[in-house]
Amino acid sequence: ELLDTTKLEKKAAVIQNEMEIVEELFRKMVDENSRKAMDQKEYSKKYNELVERYKKAQDELTEVEEKHQENKVRKDSIDTFIDRLKSQETILTDFDEALWTSTIDKVVIENDITFYFRDGTKIKQEIL
């Protein structure tokens, strides 16, 4: 549930639809400008507004796609971790080096201890 990408996929579809609408508006505006005399200042203003609208949608789509990819990588990492836990023959009672290395990316010790997990999670623990 935490990594469900359905909402991101729906949002991407809405953004792609917006981009298609803007592209169609571009085509119509350019076609109209070629068929009849238009005030070129007004044409440039509308054209620039459409460029901004398209760029905004494009940037938003890029952001959504990056988040979708991050979630996919995290999901794959979590699935690998769960599979490793399920493959254990007994309940884990001792340190398991393979499980540790498949879960933890790095540990940084400064004024506190920070655990960096392979799925991108970060946990800080105060040193007592």
Side-chain angles (χ1 to χ4, degrees):
E1 285 181 34
L2 292 174
L3 302 175
D4 182 17
T5 59
T6 306
K7 289 180 183 177
L8 289 174
E9 291 165 1
K10 286 180 181 177
K11 188 172 183 177
V14 168
I15 295 168
Q16 287 171 335
N17 186 49
E18 166 72 4
M19 291 171 72
E20 290 171 5
I21 289 169
V22 173
E23 288 172 358
E24 184 60 31
L25 291 172
F26 268 128
R27 281 190 281 279
K28 286 180 180 179
M29 195 172 75
V30 169
D31 184 53
E32 182 181 353
N33 189 45
S34 68
R35 285 186 287 114
K36 64 180 184 176
M38 293 178 67
D39 177 7
Q40 291 305 298
K41 285 185 181 181
E42 184 64 28
Y43 173 82
S44 291
K45 180 183 174 195
K46 286 181 181 179
Y47 184 87
N48 290 334
E49 287 172 358
L50 286 175
V51 167
E52 280 301 311
R53 184 174 164 186
Y54 188 85
K55 181 164 178 17
K56 181 181 175 189
Q58 194 173 37
D59 292 345
E60 197 173 343
L61 181 61
T62 299
E63 185 179 313
V64 168
E65 288 173 341
E66 286 172 358
K67 186 164 179 116
H68 183 270
Q69 183 61 29
E70 288 172 13
N71 283 0
K72 185 180 180 315
V73 169
R74 276 188 160 164
K75 182 184 182 313
D76 291 346
S77 178
I78 289 170
D79 288 345
T80 300
F81 175 72
I82 290 171
D83 289 344
R84 183 171 288 274
L85 283 178
K86 285 180 179 179
S87 70
Q88 298 289 322
E89 293 178 15
T90 60
I91 294 175
L92 189 63
T93 57
D94 295 323
F95 179 78
D96 184 329
E97 184 177 351
L99 184 58
W100 174 266
T101 57
S102 70
T103 307
I104 302 294
D105 185 36
K106 66 182 176 180
V107 177
V108 177
I109 302 173
E110 293 175 330
N111 296 331
D112 53 21
I113 300 173
T114 306
F115 295 89
Y116 293 87
F117 292 83
R118 294 199 183 275
D119 73 347
T121 305
K122 178 172 76 170
I123 297 176
K124 282 190 175 189
Q125 179 63 46
E126 192 176 304
I127 299 175
L128 301 175

